[in-house]
């Protein structure tokens, strides 16, 4: 009988087989590789996260700049609109002020015209009443007829009557002059209508003054009274410079 063959001698290291240590080394290498891969992946992820953060920061800055630019543009537009509105408002205010001033001037002119018309109407009524009263005044008629008679006779030297100031002739002449002086003074004070009086009494007053003026000059010199009957003189001189025109 042959003996059983003996198994091969198994080599061991630290109590374990070589195969065990090879497997262990393989496992350790795999673990190290996996760890290194994890580390590399983590670094990659961190780099990606950092890149993403930088991209996000850049985008945020770009967006912020865009927003700031838009806000600045909006501010410029608003300022421009405010200035335009203000200019438009100022123009409208000026236009309204000008319109109001024009309306005030128009109203004032209208009031002035009404006042002038009313005043002119009062002057005309007063002038007509004065002439009616003068035409009905017997003493004034006597004085006017006395002047006419002197005209007709050619004897216009009335200064001789100054010597006797109680004579009827002197009193008539002074009465007529006082009437004319009152009328001329009333015209100067805008109480009478000079145009109306001129149209109705132009010839009579100028003819009578032509005769009365030498009398007045002597009377002024005699009494040393340079302004005596000056209003009628001034009115007669105005009428001479601007004669009454014939209306056809």
């Amino acid at each position: 009988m042959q003996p059983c063959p003996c198994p091969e001698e198994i080599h061991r290291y630290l109590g374990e087989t070589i195969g065990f240590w090879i497997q262990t080394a393989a496992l350790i290498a795999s673990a190290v590789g996996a760890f290194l891969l994890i580390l590399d992946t983590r670094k990659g992820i961190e780099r990606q996260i950092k890149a993403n953060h930088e991209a996000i920061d850049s985008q945020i800055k770009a967006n912020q700049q865009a927003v700031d630019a838009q806000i600045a543009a909006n501010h410029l537009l608003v300022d421009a609109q405010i200035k335009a509105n203000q200019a438009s408002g100022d123009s409208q205010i000026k236009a309204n002020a000008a319109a109001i001033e024009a309306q005030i001037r128009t109203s004032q002119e209208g009031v002035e015209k009404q006042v002038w018309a009313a005043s002119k109407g009062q002057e005309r009524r007063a002038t007509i009443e004065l002439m009616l009263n003068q035409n009905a005044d017997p003493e004034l008629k006597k004085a006017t007829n006395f002047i006419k008679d002197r005209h007709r006779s050619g004897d216009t030297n009335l200064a001789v009557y100054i010597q006797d100031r109680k004579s009827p002739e002197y009193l008539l002449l002074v009465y007529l002059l006082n009437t004319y002086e009152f009328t001329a003074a009333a015209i100067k004070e805008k109480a009478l209508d000079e145009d109306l009086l001129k149209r109705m009494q132009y010839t009579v007053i100028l003819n009578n003054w032509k005769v009365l003026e030498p009398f007045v000059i002597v009377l002024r010199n005699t009494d040393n009274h340079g302004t005596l009957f000056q209003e009628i003189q001034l009115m007669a001189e105005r009428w001479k410079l601007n004669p009454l025109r014939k209306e056809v």
Side-chain angles (χ1 to χ4, degrees), residues 85-209:
N85 292 338
Q86 185 175 2
S88 176
D90 292 342
S91 299
Q92 187 63 39
I93 290 172
K94 291 179 180 178
N96 292 339
I100 292 172
E101 289 178 357
Q103 185 64 35
I104 290 173
R105 285 196 298 270
T106 301
S107 300
Q108 186 175 359
E109 289 174 357
V111 171
E112 289 176 352
K113 288 180 180 178
Q114 292 178 357
V115 172
W116 180 86
S119 176
K120 198 68 175 176
Q122 293 176 353
E123 291 175 11
R124 289 174 179 173
R125 285 193 295 272
T127 304
I128 292 172
E129 291 177 0
L130 177 67
M131 287 188 291
L132 290 174
N133 291 332
Q134 289 180 354
N135 290 335
D137 187 346
E139 291 299 315
L140 193 59
K141 287 183 179 180
K142 287 181 183 180
T144 302
N145 290 331
F146 177 70
I147 296 294
K148 287 181 180 179
D149 292 341
R150 301 306 295 266
H151 265 296
R152 294 191 187 99
S153 65
D155 182 10
T156 58
N157 183 17
L158 304 179
V160 295
Y161 297 111
I162 296 176
Q163 298 175 5
D164 184 3
R165 301 197 180 189
K166 293 183 179 181
S167 65
E169 294 82 3
Y170 175 84
L171 295 176
L172 283 176
L173 293 173
V174 171
Y175 186 81
L176 180 60
L177 284 167
N178 283 332
T179 301
Y180 285 165
E181 185 72 1
F182 170 80
T183 302
I187 287 174
K188 182 178 180 180
E189 297 300 326
K190 307 298 182 182
L192 297 176
D193 187 342
E194 184 172 4
D195 293 335
L196 179 59
L197 180 69
K198 184 178 179 180
R199 287 197 299 270
M200 301 186 71
Q201 296 287 326
Y202 177 81
T203 301
V204 173
I205 290 178
L206 286 188
N207 286 340
N208 288 346
W209 175 249

Side-chain angles (χ1 to χ4, degrees), residues 58-73:
S58 298
Q59 186 63 40
I60 290 173
K61 289 180 181 179
N63 292 340
Q64 184 64 43
Q65 290 175 353
V67 170
D68 292 342
Q70 186 62 43
I71 291 174

Side-chain angles (χ1 to χ4, degrees), residues 20 26 35 106 114 134 137 208 219 224 226 229 231 233 235:
F20 171 82
F35 179 74
T106 301
Q114 292 178 357
Q134 289 180 354
D137 187 346
N208 288 346
L219 191 60
N224 194 23
F229 302 119
E231 297 302 333
Q233 180 182 7
M235 187 178 77

